[in-house]
Amino acid sequence: MNGHSFTLAGAELVALGSGALWWPDQVLLCVSDLHLGKSERVARRSGLTLPPYDTRDTLTRLAADLALTNARTVVCLGDSFDDLRAAEALPEDEKLWIAKLQAGRRWVWIEGNHDPGPIDLGGTHLAELPRAPLTFRHIAQSGASGEVSGHYHPKAEIATRARLISRPAFLLDSDRVILPSYGTYTGGLRSTAPELSDLMRPEALAILTGRNPHAVPMPRAAPDHTNPASSN
Amino acid sequence: MTSLPSRFTNWFSTKGWSIHPHQQAMLDRSDDPALLLIAPTGGGKTLAGFLPTLVDLAEAGHNGLHTLYISPLKALAVDIKRNLRTPVDEMGLEIRIDDRTGDTPASRKKRQRADPPHILLTTPESLALLVSYEDAPLMFRGLKRVVVDEIHALAESKRGDQLMLALARLQTLCPDLRRVGLSATVEDPQAIAHFLARHPDPCEILMADPGPPPDIAMLTTDEAPPWAGGGAKYAIPAVLEQVKRHKTTLIFHNTRAQAELFFHNLWLANDDSLPIGIHHGSLDRIQRDRVEAAMVRGELRAIVCTGSLDLGIDWGDVDLVIQIGAPKNVKRLVQRIGRANHRYNAPSKALLVPANRFEVVECIAALEAVKAGDLDGDPRGDGPLDVLCQHILITASAGPFQADALYAEVTSAGAYHTLSRAEFDACLDFCATGGYALRAYDQWQRLMRRADGLWQLRDPRTARRIRMNIGTIQDTDTLKVRLKRSRGGKPLGEIEEGFAATLTPGDTFLIGGQIVRYEGLREMTVEVTRRADKKPKIATFMGTKFATSTQLSARILEMFRQPSWPALPPHTAEWLALQRSVSKLPEPGRLLIESFPHDGREQMVVYGFAGRNAQQTLGLLLTKRLEEMGLNPLGFVSTDYATLIWGLDRLDDPAPLFDIAALRDGLETWLAGNAVMKRTFRASATIAGLIERNIGGQRKSGRQATFSSDILYDTLHKYDPDHLMLKITRTEALRGLVDFGRIEDLAARIGGRIDHLKLDRITPLSAPLFLEPGRVPIKGLAEERLLAEEADRLLSTAGLATAPAPRKPQWRVGY
């Protein structure tokens, strides 16, 4: 399995190149920020008719990860739906597809800011899921430890000798891991953003997703050298 | 013959002028449904276009809007307003003239809609916006004439296609509308007439006296131009000398970055403190206005500029045009030369300054072409469908419409004359439902068909979003640059986001001729101070890429065959001789390939001399083969002469590269995933209204809400490969590429005659390629290796107590 293994609060975890987190001991797969139904919500709100294939693309990749891992528990870490109306408006065949993926496994929908309420699909709906030694929740809380969260859609940029490469990334330190977004129609927030820099410890790592996940020290914004007194 | 009213003849005689024959002819034929005037700059072209309007307004009067004038440049609209005022005021005519561009204050725009002037001067984008308003029929009621200035420039771009669709709309509102086009000298006047005409009405062409041939030469300098580089720094003393000897000099550059650098160096050498200004499209409007005003007052001796001054702005006393860098295109050269000496029947004077030795060869070839009167140019294909989609949305914003009537209207425009009903319906369906194989948006259609058969916006509020997205010009993502102050400092201009990303506080760069220091980024604005204590990085802009005509390429290849080059300056002749001794000069019927390491990568240069489009296609095909051969290509760039490919591994045997079967195999899939296609998709999808130009606040907040249009492209390609938007993307991308047949021809012509030279360093002939804009990245397996290398390096360094900041990116051309 192409992944980067690490330990969080004693739990042995694997960051997969797809952006999913795999916990072999618990046979648990965790994905974050699926944003299913995003194209429907965009059309409803703005009139823009984006290619309506995002949900099936996201589910196709999730199905592949499930086939690969044979996970017994699936945790969707919040913002699984672009909003609650988008969840209701999913076409019948996509709802059936989700039901098929759920068959024979425990399925947990963690609530996110986009999908705060329960939805009419199988699975358990929770604000957060504690599973010792870890806690799964949508948005990281400062001071927490052994925490698995999503929400920020982190990405990292690496300047290689030939070009700048930017990829969705896991952010990892001794207290927490933040997952990249898994949904097809999602963008990323640079790891240099203050929200992420403030949240993560100085020695944090970024694990870039892709064919082979690569771990690097988490890129941070350069310190500000500006001397306000001398600016004119 | 229509005689000029006495007020006009008197005015002409007080000026000591007499009416030009082509001005009289325009007056005589003022009832033609469409008329194209081709005249050199300075030939009183604008007055010729307006004379029928002025006479009609003076004699008959008019209520409301009489004449609409469209120019490709905002500056031109403002300039014409000033120039038109003079005769109107001097003759005491009661004519209201006003301009309307993106810069016009909202209060004035509102007034213009309620109470339009007699003559309105505007741009294609502002006109498209006017046409999208519900009250358009009211505003344009009684419109009699439309004058399209610099129509040769508009006819080359989507802006022109959009304009012609808007005119088709106006023609429906005002059936007796007369069209006039004003054009500089072009190679195919018939094509412009076809573009201007309302089909099936005719459009006659009037040719004015072209005037004497231009006085044009290459500037010779004591110092030799360098092998490579676009700065022409070596020529600064000689250029200053020319500025001193003339009244006013325009110094043209092909890119903004070159203009900035040249201006900086010119200023350092300007010991006499001659007043010299700089003008280009990335400078703040206030800065540009100041330079333009100083120019009009005759206070400047020279202006360093780019294409932003390319079109017919009347600068009065310009008596010399200097072109820095090879002109790339003979037609453009002739038009630029037309800037000098706005007096009719006086030869225009121009000097070419090659920036490097290859350009010496190009300049000589261009001079020969000008002397031979050989204008070049490629015919444009049918009207692009992305522009049509935008037009359908614009029409819907103005009110409900009938599909049959709109189809009839659209096909009256020359570029869309051959548009089939099926293509039109596909565009309409795209605008209404997205046009997907999966019918997902029944509930949220953008346009819906009413019971009476008319189409209208489902939600009238979306008209506002459509209007915000009007236009066909693609801005690269740029960031504003301001001086850092407590309350928003002075705006200086814009730089590309990609360039801004490479800056760290303390770095310096050039903008508007001054060196500034990067302090930081605040709310998507680059803040700078004037504390400049380091050698500047150069702000880079997407310089407009000019393709040299294939005809120029052929002239150059022919020149290479000579045993020696007495016609060339000695330094350039020596340079070619050096290339011949360390490598080879390209020969007709053979293919020269050079391989050498440079800049930490393996470089390969393929001298196909097939023109930019064919070289670009070759670049795509060869990088595909190199990826398959495991040689990890990173990217390529093409000129009219050669393709430069760089990668991680060295090529040993070029023969398998040209295996035609392997090249053809999988071409479609490779092309589909390529950066060229994604770039094209983004542009076309924005024009067609699938995505929006500014996702406004979202981008501003820098949050994770936006995602790349590449994702939309990939998704569509995977699930709906026959979708209209992908068809449009292919068509548009292929406008800049050539079909595979041409590559097969090339391979057949060369046979196995490939000269592959493995060298240990960069060669004289290849050096200019390293500065070429328009690099195409290849995102193959090389990225994985680069990431692995960098990750190892970073992690081993991070064995120390804390994680270091990532290595500072070195600024490079392109990526």
Side-chain angles (χ1 to χ4, degrees), chain B residues 660-692:
Chain B
I660 285 295
L663 282 184
R664 194 190 296 108
D665 182 40
L667 170 66
E668 267 291 306
T669 28
W670 174 252
L671 208 72
N674 194 275
V676 173
M677 294 293 275
K678 290 181 180 173
R679 208 182 274 170
T680 311
F681 173 80
R682 181 176 175 191
S684 282
T686 308
I687 293 171
L690 177 64
I691 52 181
E692 291 178 337

Side-chain angles (χ1 to χ4, degrees), chain A residues 38-40 43-54 56-58 60-61 85 93-94 151-153 157-165 167 184-190 195 202-205 208-220 222-227 230-232, chain B residues 430 432-434 436-438 440-441 443-444 446 458 462 465 484-485 504-505 519 529-531 600-601 634-635 648 689-692 702-707 711-712 715-716 718-720 777-779 781 783-791 794-795 798 801-804 806-807 809 812 815:
Chain A
K38 173 142 186 167
S39 52
E40 193 267 351
R44 180 178 359 118
R45 290 165 56 118
S46 73
L48 294 184
T49 49
L50 301 181
Y53 306 106
D54 51 325
R56 65 166 73 172
D57 191 69
T58 304
T60 303
R61 287 182 295 108
R85 270 185 83 179
D93 54 343
E94 285 169 0
H151 179 64
Y152 290 103
H153 302 200
E157 282 181 347
I158 301 297
T160 71
R161 68 186 164 97
R163 70 167 61 123
L164 200 66
I165 296 177
R167 302 246 173 111
T184 296
Y185 286 177
T186 54
L189 181 67
R190 287 193 185 94
E195 295 92 319
E203 68 276 12
L205 293 179
L208 277 70
T209 57
R211 180 186 287 253
N212 302 301
H214 298 283
V216 298
M218 182 181 108
R220 287 171 187 273
D224 189 1
H225 296 299
T226 325
N227 176 0
S230 64
S231 67
N232 54 355
Chain B
F430 167 79
T433 69
Y436 300 105
L438 179 69
Y441 296 124
Q443 200 183 349
W444 310 119
R446 181 136 49 158
R458 169 181 57 86
T462 51
R465 301 183 76 118
K484 184 170 171 154
R485 286 246 166 76
T504 47
E519 300 293 355
T529 59
R530 286 220 171 90
R531 273 195 325 175
R601 306 173 218 175
L634 280 164
L648 298 180
L690 177 64
I691 52 181
E692 291 178 337
R703 297 290 305 216
Q704 71 275 30
T706 58
F707 59 98
I711 293 175
L712 292 180
T715 308
L716 204 46
K718 202 150 135 196
Y719 297 101
D720 206 342
I778 302 299
K779 302 200 167 172
L781 285 177
E783 279 210 346
E784 292 300 325
R785 202 163 105 192
L786 287 168
L787 263 186
E789 270 175 30
E790 190 61 21
L794 287 172
L795 282 178
T802 55
R807 190 167 53 139
R812 299 167 210 95
Y815 304 93

Side-chain angles (χ1 to χ4, degrees), chain B residues 483-645:
Chain B
L483 279 181
K484 184 170 171 154
R485 286 246 166 76
S486 51
R487 289 184 310 276
K490 188 176 142 193
L492 297 176
E494 294 178 341
I495 57 174
E496 274 181 28
E497 204 171 343
F499 175 69
T502 67
L503 295 170
T504 47
D507 282 346
T508 55
F509 60 96
L510 278 167
I511 186 162
Q514 47 185 315
I515 306 178
V516 294
R517 183 181 192 271
Y518 176 68
E519 300 293 355
L521 192 66
R522 202 169 74 178
E523 286 166 2
M524 300 309 273
T525 298
V526 174
E527 293 192 319
V528 298
T529 59
R530 286 220 171 90
R531 273 195 325 175
D533 41 12
K534 272 200 290 183
K535 192 172 177 292
K537 293 180 172 190
I538 307 303
T540 59
F541 309 92
M542 293 289 284
T544 318
K545 281 176 285 166
F546 300 134
T548 310
S549 56
T550 40
Q551 176 236 82
L552 269 188
S553 303
R555 280 180 192 270
I556 291 167
L557 204 51
E558 210 41 54
M559 217 185 282
F560 282 164
R561 298 177 70 175
Q562 301 170 18
S564 64
W565 299 276
L568 293 176
H571 47 66
T572 304
E574 284 159 23
W575 170 71
L576 291 181
L578 185 64
Q579 168 71 18
R580 193 172 264 168
S581 72
V582 304
S583 174
K584 264 173 93 71
L585 280 169
E587 296 169 37
R590 304 183 71 87
L591 184 66
L592 173 63
I593 299 178
E594 293 175 338
S595 301
F596 49 83
H598 184 73
D599 200 18
R601 306 173 218 175
E602 289 298 331
Q603 315 280 346
M604 173 175 138
V605 188
V606 183
Y607 296 95
F609 275 80
R612 185 191 284 277
N613 291 351
Q615 292 289 150
Q616 179 91 351
T617 307
L618 197 61
L620 284 169
L621 293 171
L622 293 182
T623 47
K624 167 181 178 279
R625 283 293 290 142
L626 290 168
E627 180 81 25
E628 286 164 2
M629 290 158 72
L631 295 178
N632 292 309
L634 280 164
F636 71 92
V637 66
S638 295
T639 69
D640 302 282
Y641 322 114
T643 298
L644 168 69
I645 300 173

Side-chain angles (χ1 to χ4, degrees), chain B residues 150-477:
Chain B
E150 307 283 350
I151 191 172
H152 60 281
L154 285 169
E156 285 176 356
S157 73
K158 292 184 179 181
R159 301 182 69 202
D161 296 319
Q162 172 157 65
L163 170 62
M164 288 306 148
L165 290 173
L167 290 191
R169 187 91 264 273
L170 290 185
Q171 196 93 48
T172 304
L173 298 176
C174 321
D176 291 329
L177 185 65
R178 311 279 178 222
R179 306 176 177 198
V180 167
L182 308 176
S183 169
T185 320
V186 287
E187 77 283 3
D188 186 3
Q190 209 54 54
I192 310 256
H194 177 79
F195 172 75
L196 173 65
R198 167 225 169 114
H199 291 262
D201 296 350
C203 175
E204 299 283 326
I205 300 168
L206 270 179
M207 306 280 282
D209 178 356
D215 166 10
I216 165 171
M218 193 167 81
L219 180 69
T220 45
T221 54
D222 297 335
E223 205 176 328
W227 280 14
K233 193 177 165 191
Y234 78 96
I236 296 271
V239 168
L240 264 181
E241 196 46 47
Q242 291 294 332
V243 171
K244 281 179 206 162
R245 273 193 239 154
H246 290 85
K247 244 189 313 199
T248 309
T249 306
L250 290 186
I251 307 172
F252 275 106
H253 290 260
N254 287 333
T255 71
R256 294 167 188 180
Q258 283 170 0
E260 283 283 354
L261 193 60
F262 191 86
F263 181 70
H264 178 68
N265 288 325
L266 198 61
W267 199 250
L268 291 179
N270 185 7
D271 298 331
D272 301 341
S273 299
L274 297 172
I276 297 175
I278 180 164
H279 188 288
H280 63 68
S282 290
L283 291 179
D284 189 73
R285 188 171 56 85
I286 298 163
Q287 311 261 80
R288 273 184 282 160
D289 286 350
R290 231 178 28 219
V291 171
E292 286 170 20
M295 185 78 187
V296 169
R297 290 194 302 269
E299 289 170 3
L300 294 178
R301 294 294 298 278
I303 295 191
V304 175
C305 57
T306 63
S308 62
L309 276 188
D310 227 358
L311 299 160
I313 298 178
D314 188 0
W315 293 117
D317 278 337
V318 173
D319 53 351
L320 176 66
V321 166
I322 293 181
Q323 160 72 38
I324 307 279
K328 305 291 182 200
N329 175 308
V330 178
K331 185 167 64 181
R332 183 159 283 124
L333 175 65
V334 168
Q335 288 162 0
R336 278 191 176 169
I337 294 169
R339 310 289 348 108
N341 252 350
H342 265 205
R343 275 159 299 143
Y344 201 42
N345 286 333
S348 312
K349 190 170 170 193
L351 284 171
L352 303 185
V353 181
N356 58 53
R357 287 186 217 182
F358 194 91
E359 292 192 346
V360 174
V361 182
E362 285 186 81
C363 283
I364 298 282
L367 286 176
E368 285 175 2
V370 171
K371 285 201 186 94
D374 250 352
L375 296 181
D376 38 20
D378 292 315
R380 276 187 87 223
D382 294 334
L385 298 185
D386 50 0
V387 179
L388 176 59
C389 291
Q390 188 178 115
H391 184 69
I392 292 173
L393 291 172
I394 287 172
T395 307
S397 302
F401 66 91
Q402 209 199 352
D404 292 348
L406 185 58
Y407 175 67
E409 193 176 286
V410 162
T411 50
S412 75
Y416 296 92
H417 192 47
T418 55
L419 180 81
S420 72
R421 182 61 196 248
E423 287 171 305
F424 174 83
D425 286 340
C427 290
L428 179 57
D429 182 39
F430 167 79
C431 293
T433 69
Y436 300 105
L438 179 69
R439 310 301 290 187
Y441 296 124
D442 289 349
Q443 200 183 349
W444 310 119
Q445 286 194 197
R446 181 136 49 158
L447 305 181
M448 50 179 242
R449 194 151 183 252
R450 310 192 307 198
D452 61 1
L454 295 187
W455 290 86
Q456 69 165 41
L457 294 173
R458 169 181 57 86
D459 179 353
R461 287 170 303 183
T462 51
R464 206 178 137 261
R465 301 183 76 118
I466 291 167
R467 291 190 185 113
M468 280 171 64
N469 210 45
I470 282 178
T472 57
I473 303 172
Q474 287 310 301
D475 340 305
T476 49
D477 288 326

Side-chain angles (χ1 to χ4, degrees), chain A residues 21-223:
Chain A
L21 182 72
W22 171 232
W23 190 357
D25 292 348
Q26 298 283 328
V27 203
L28 178 152
L29 187 79
C30 177
V31 290
S32 189
D33 298 271
L34 301 177
H35 286 272
L36 301 175
K38 173 142 186 167
S39 52
E40 193 267 351
R41 175 164 175 253
V42 169
R44 180 178 359 118
R45 290 165 56 118
S46 73
L48 294 184
T49 49
L50 301 181
Y53 306 106
D54 51 325
T55 301
R56 65 166 73 172
D57 191 69
T58 304
L59 291 178
T60 303
R61 287 182 295 108
L62 181 56
D65 273 341
L66 288 175
L68 192 73
T69 56
N70 246 321
R72 280 206 302 269
T73 304
V74 173
V75 180
C76 298
L77 218 40
D79 289 0
S80 305
F81 302 92
D82 211 43
D83 66 5
L84 292 173
R85 270 185 83 179
E88 287 159 25
L90 284 184
E92 241 1 86
D93 54 343
E94 285 169 0
K95 285 184 180 165
L96 277 173
W97 193 353
I98 293 172
K100 226 167 74 190
L101 293 179
Q102 291 175 331
R105 32 177 79 99
R106 183 171 184 223
W107 195 286
V108 180
W109 303 107
I110 302 285
E111 72 182 36
N113 49 313
H114 280 255
D115 51 357
I119 31 139
D120 187 22
L121 290 163
T124 316
H125 184 90
L126 295 173
E128 54 182 62
L129 171 72
R131 187 173 279 204
L134 304 179
T135 304
F136 294 84
R137 63 169 65 95
H138 183 57
I139 305 181
Q141 293 174 359
S142 60
S145 64
E147 177 189 70
V148 181
S149 65
H151 179 64
Y152 290 103
H153 302 200
K155 66 175 178 181
E157 282 181 347
I158 301 297
T160 71
R161 68 186 164 97
R163 70 167 61 123
L164 200 66
I165 296 177
S166 172
R167 302 246 173 111
F170 294 84
L171 300 183
L172 166 68
D173 65 17
S174 53
D175 293 328
R176 62 173 52 85
V177 58
I178 303 181
L179 269 57
S181 61
Y182 197 87
T184 296
Y185 286 177
T186 54
L189 181 67
R190 287 193 185 94
S191 62
T192 51
E195 295 92 319
L196 292 169
S197 293
D198 294 352
L199 197 57
M200 302 303 292
R201 286 176 173 271
E203 68 276 12
L205 293 179
I207 304 165
L208 277 70
T209 57
R211 180 186 287 253
N212 302 301
H214 298 283
V216 298
M218 182 181 108
R220 287 171 187 273

